Amino acid sequence: NAGVMQNPRHLVRRRGQEARLRCSPMKGHSHVYWYRQLPEEGLKFMVYLQKENIIDESGMPKERFSAEFPKEGPSILRIQQVVRGDSAAYFCASSPLPDITYEQYFGPGTRLTVT
Amino acid sequence: GEDVEQSLFLSVREGDSSVINCTYTDSSSTYLYWYKQEPGAGLQLLTYIFSNMDMKQDQRLTVLLNKKDKHLSLRIADTQTGDSAIYFCAERAGGYNKLIFGAGTRLAVHP
């Protein structure tokens, strides 16, 4: 059973371009979470999605950021008109139907660099 | 509000025990977690503890929870060079939808 897959692993964008980050959850997992890790900091929650639904987006910046988890295909985190402050590692995690431990399994991350 | 704090650095000698400390603020947290992150990698769940427990042991790892003081610790016995990594404490919050992470403790193991 493959783990959580994220691609690309590294992404370089110039200011003003769009960044698309993809996350394929573990097989059988229907819950996806996105976190952002700024340099030398811990992970900050961004958004929690189930298939075709955004459940909690309390950590998403109000502008330029959006996320989706379609019925088919990976979850996408989209950042429009990137700025240097968006440079960070973006981690996706998935979990199965909520169980007692609510364990989240993390992908390897996408490291976004904005030049 | 929700906040998790950790000391940033810890240096230990190979073979010694490491103790990484964490404090949290959300008294309603039901689960608390320790994750390990190696350079350039994602997070690996090491262990977790339920809030009605005081201690949990798993091979070389011992987790202690003081719920009154909202203090969590991770003890690694017989620390090895392969244990060098960043260790994150996290609490489950927000209606169980998200994890709140500390800034991470960088553990350096030297011979």
Side-chain angles (χ1 to χ4, degrees):
Chain A
N1 188 8
V4 178
M5 310 285 284
Q6 289 188 250
N7 66 82
R9 294 291 307 274
H10 299 274
L11 181 62
V12 180
R13 285 286 178 267
R14 292 184 179 177
R15 278 181 299 169
Q17 291 185 318
E18 179 180 285
R20 278 180 175 255
L21 287 62
R22 288 177 291 276
C23 168
S24 296
M26 286 180 71
K27 187 176 180 181
H29 287 195
S30 56
H31 301 248
V32 165
Y33 313 79
W34 285 94
Y35 293 82
R36 176 165 64 176
Q37 183 181 31
L38 294 171
E40 307 301 321
E41 293 188 14
L43 280 72
K44 304 291 186 191
F45 169 80
M46 299 181 76
V47 62
Y48 162 44
L49 310 104
Q50 294 177 21
K51 286 280 188 183
E52 300 184 280
N53 283 304
I54 298 174
I55 307 302
D56 180 354
E57 55 182 348
S58 58
M60 286 280 270
K62 296 285 185 259
E63 297 177 348
R64 301 187 299 106
F65 284 72
S66 62
E68 62 176 7
F69 188 16
K71 188 176 179 181
E72 302 290 337
S75 175
I76 306 287
L77 179 67
R78 183 179 175 215
I79 311 172
Q80 294 178 290
Q81 299 175 321
V82 296
V83 301
R84 287 220 172 100
D86 297 332
S87 294
Y90 292 83
F91 289 95
C92 167
S94 73
S95 66
L97 288 174
D99 63 11
I100 194 163
T101 64
Y102 294 93
E103 183 174 336
Q104 296 182 13
Y105 297 82
F106 282 81
T110 293
R111 280 151 181 85
L112 172 65
T113 302
V114 179
T115 61
Chain B
E2 305 153 342
D3 197 14
V4 177
E5 294 193 356
Q6 302 177 237
S7 52
L8 295 182
F9 299 100
L10 177 65
S11 180
V12 299
R13 190 168 297 187
E14 191 174 9
D16 287 351
S17 292
S18 307
V19 179
I20 302 171
N21 294 300
C22 169
T23 57
Y24 61 97
T25 56
D26 189 347
S27 58
S28 66
S29 293
T30 54
Y31 282 94
L32 295 135
Y33 305 81
W34 284 103
Y35 282 86
K36 176 183 180 182
Q37 184 182 35
E38 296 184 78
L43 274 69
Q44 172 196 356
L45 178 65
L46 288 177
T47 188
Y48 62 88
I49 188 167
F50 187 48
S51 59
N52 68 351
M53 298 169 65
D54 297 324
M55 186 182 86
K56 181 179 180 182
Q57 188 152 2
D58 184 1
Q59 298 183 340
R60 292 192 296 124
L61 304 179
T62 303
V63 179
L64 295 178
L65 175 60
N66 181 329
K67 196 173 179 184
K68 174 176 171 289
D69 294 337
K70 298 190 185 71
H71 181 266
L72 184 73
S73 68
L74 173 70
R75 178 176 178 269
I76 305 172
D78 187 25
T79 312
Q80 302 298 309
T81 54
D83 295 323
S84 294
I86 301 175
Y87 291 80
F88 291 97
C89 167
E91 62 173 346
R92 187 159 202 103
Y96 312 117
N97 292 340
K98 60 187 179 185
L99 298 177
I100 308 297
F101 284 86
T105 298
R106 188 179 297 273
L107 174 65
V109 182
H110 55 88

